[in-house]
Amino acid sequence: MTTTTAHTSGASATPGASATPGASAAPATSATSAIGALVAEADAGAPPAQLLDEDAKREIRRACLTAVCVPGYQVPFGSREMPVARGWGSGGLQVTLAVIGAEDTVKVIDQGDDAGVNATNLRRLIAGTTGSAESADTRKATVVQTRHRVPEEALGAQHVLVYQVPVPEPLRGVQKSVAECARMHAEDDYSAMWVSLYEDIVRNGMITASTGYPVLVGGRYVMATSPVPRWDVPRLHQAEHVNLFGAGREKRIYAVPPHTDVRPLTFDDVPFEVEHAPGARCRFCGSDDVFLVDSGTSGDFACSDTEWCARVRDGDADTAAHRRRAPLALLPDPAARARHATPDPAEHPATPRPAPAPGQAPGQAWALHVDGIGKVHGAGGAAAVPGTGPEHGTAISPATGAVVAAWDISFDVAPGEALGVIGESGSGKSTVLRCVVGDEPATAGRVRLAGVEGGAVDVLALPAAVRRALRVDTMAVVYQDPAAGLDLRVSAGGNIAERLTAAGWRGYHAIRRRAAELLDRVEVPLARMDDPVHTFSGGMRQRVQIAKALATEPPVLLLDEPTTGLDASVAAGVLDLLRSLLAERDVAAVVVSHDFSVIEALTDRTLVMQTGRVVERGLTDQLFHDPHHPYTQRLVAAARR
């Protein structure tokens, strides 16, 4: 059987090369001159100079211990500027200098090569400034600093493998905000990462991520395996050695300690694959069970690990043991790759459905209960309320100057019922909805959901992370602006995949079928299922947002001005869609709008809000045909024009 891999980065790994690619391009700077002086002193037998003082080493060691205790978690540390040449990896170097001792032996790998300029100079620098021994033999080393590779030689409990990390944050490609990345890690919210994998499969039929392939460490944190290729990812799982990752620029250290589960993120029905070029072998040693790179000659490959290649040629390697541990079972299988065709919902009537959220307790008539919600923007809280409201004609508190956007708003909604909330702009209706869903903190009031502990818990008192989780499968929102509910960079199917993966779906084809089913139901052409949403019209974006909201069959659906901003004909189509969807689903819906025609078309009961208060409530038909409050009468008169 021919089994091999090929990494097509174009980096040459010819054994005996005197420099790694690009090494000669590093400019001669004062930093490199300083290093040269240190190495020269060490070669002359001078006492080792210190690049890191003892306080810096202690800080890095503490960060390393924390990282080992919490596998995969990025630990911040006070990184200092290191006088090293470009490409030498200051984060990895700092970790190595902090953990190595005079009794250790250091080996340095650069692009798989330990004889290049960077690797040789770094090895001499580390040995010369710490008093440690140095070697290019993995078997003799105790600390191995690497950029790009895990050695082909088996590593054991005596080894510490230190990685020079270029990009430590696995969420960087899907989230630019550092604070939001931290929140996502803390809440185990990795749906955006799953969507990126989904989109990759849609485009390419497979996951093409190479270095930095995302893995789940210890069943908890998603980690980037930067800088190693996919070929090396399986060797992190239940490893015998300690893995320490140092990112100097981002000032982060993280770790994979021995005997830790490291699982590549992959869908249940799309297997993880390592790099592979059918029929390829190393042109020098003939190996076909190693990570190979393009040797520069068309169709020729060479071992990335030059030490291993030399030892195989010299007969100084246990090739049988190496073959047993090589990830040959993970070579690509075209038959197992994802199908490219867009699913036809009619062909898949048995698409798995999300499990419905728990219903209300026996005898309970509502799915959503809102009690006394109030929101004050500014100082004073409840003390700011007197002197505001419709009877005073103002929402501004005469006592504190705060804005009382809404106060003492109460309602409940039963399964299968739609409640309307209507009022002019500034009446407080959207504020109430944002408080209910958690987009704004309420000043007063309680919100209960029948699906959360039988309605006995005030969901506003729950931690923010728990409230956000409720929006996955318990309470969905359709916003006036689709950009608030969709990622416009992602395809229509990918947006629905985001909701489904957040709910725990891990079958790529099941997700595709469910997305196609929903998009077909909201009348989005399936030919556009894989198009980015930013290419859609406003009405089609709103339809995708509705499909996403319904993906997990939430028992409560909140719609905030769902047709505002749409052309009349498009708005009419969205209204017809919503009317039919609400009729066929046993969902409790709240519809906020300033347009009585929308409320009349969709809802059973209605609240009328003015200046932050409810001024009238009743059956929607009754309010429309026999309004009592003067404000309601004006709204109805305007709707009838």
Short mmCIF file of all heavy atoms in Angstrom, two decimals, residues 131 181 265 295 403 420 465 476 525 633:
data_model
loop_
_atom_site.label_atom_id
_atom_site.label_comp_id
_atom_site.label_asym_id
_atom_site.label_seq_id
_atom_site.Cartn_x
_atom_site.Cartn_y
_atom_site.Cartn_z
N GLY A 131 23.88 27.26 29.64
CA GLY A 131 24.80 26.23 30.08
C GLY A 131 24.34 24.82 29.76
O GLY A 131 24.95 23.85 30.19
N CYS A 181 -13.71 37.04 21.63
CA CYS A 181 -13.04 35.73 21.61
C CYS A 181 -12.93 35.16 23.02
O CYS A 181 -13.18 33.97 23.24
CB CYS A 181 -11.65 35.85 20.99
SG CYS A 181 -11.62 36.06 19.19
N LEU A 265 -11.60 19.07 15.47
CA LEU A 265 -12.99 19.41 15.21
C LEU A 265 -13.37 18.90 13.82
O LEU A 265 -12.77 19.31 12.83
CB LEU A 265 -13.20 20.92 15.27
CG LEU A 265 -13.68 21.49 16.61
CD1 LEU A 265 -12.66 21.22 17.70
CD2 LEU A 265 -13.98 22.97 16.51
N SER A 295 10.13 19.03 -2.86
CA SER A 295 11.59 19.19 -2.82
C SER A 295 12.10 20.20 -3.84
O SER A 295 13.30 20.45 -3.92
CB SER A 295 12.28 17.84 -3.07
OG SER A 295 12.06 17.43 -4.42
N VAL A 403 -34.30 59.12 31.21
CA VAL A 403 -35.36 58.78 30.25
C VAL A 403 -36.00 57.47 30.71
O VAL A 403 -35.34 56.44 30.80
CB VAL A 403 -34.80 58.63 28.83
CG1 VAL A 403 -35.90 58.18 27.87
CG2 VAL A 403 -34.20 59.94 28.36
N GLY A 420 -49.40 41.14 19.91
CA GLY A 420 -48.84 42.32 19.27
C GLY A 420 -48.53 43.41 20.28
O GLY A 420 -49.23 43.55 21.28
N ALA A 465 -24.34 34.27 30.39
CA ALA A 465 -24.02 33.14 29.51
C ALA A 465 -25.21 32.20 29.39
O ALA A 465 -25.49 31.66 28.31
CB ALA A 465 -22.81 32.39 30.05
N ALA A 476 -36.15 32.63 20.34
CA ALA A 476 -35.47 33.16 19.16
C ALA A 476 -36.00 34.55 18.83
O ALA A 476 -37.13 34.90 19.17
CB ALA A 476 -35.66 32.23 17.97
N PRO A 525 -34.59 30.58 -2.83
CA PRO A 525 -34.19 29.59 -3.84
C PRO A 525 -33.01 28.75 -3.36
O PRO A 525 -31.99 29.29 -2.92
CB PRO A 525 -33.81 30.45 -5.05
CG PRO A 525 -34.53 31.74 -4.85
CD PRO A 525 -34.60 31.95 -3.37
N GLN A 633 -57.09 55.27 18.95
CA GLN A 633 -57.96 55.75 17.88
C GLN A 633 -57.15 56.44 16.78
O GLN A 633 -57.42 56.24 15.58
CB GLN A 633 -59.02 56.70 18.45
CG GLN A 633 -60.02 56.01 19.36
CD GLN A 633 -60.90 56.99 20.10
OE1 GLN A 633 -60.73 58.23 20.02
NE2 GLN A 633 -61.88 56.47 20.85
#
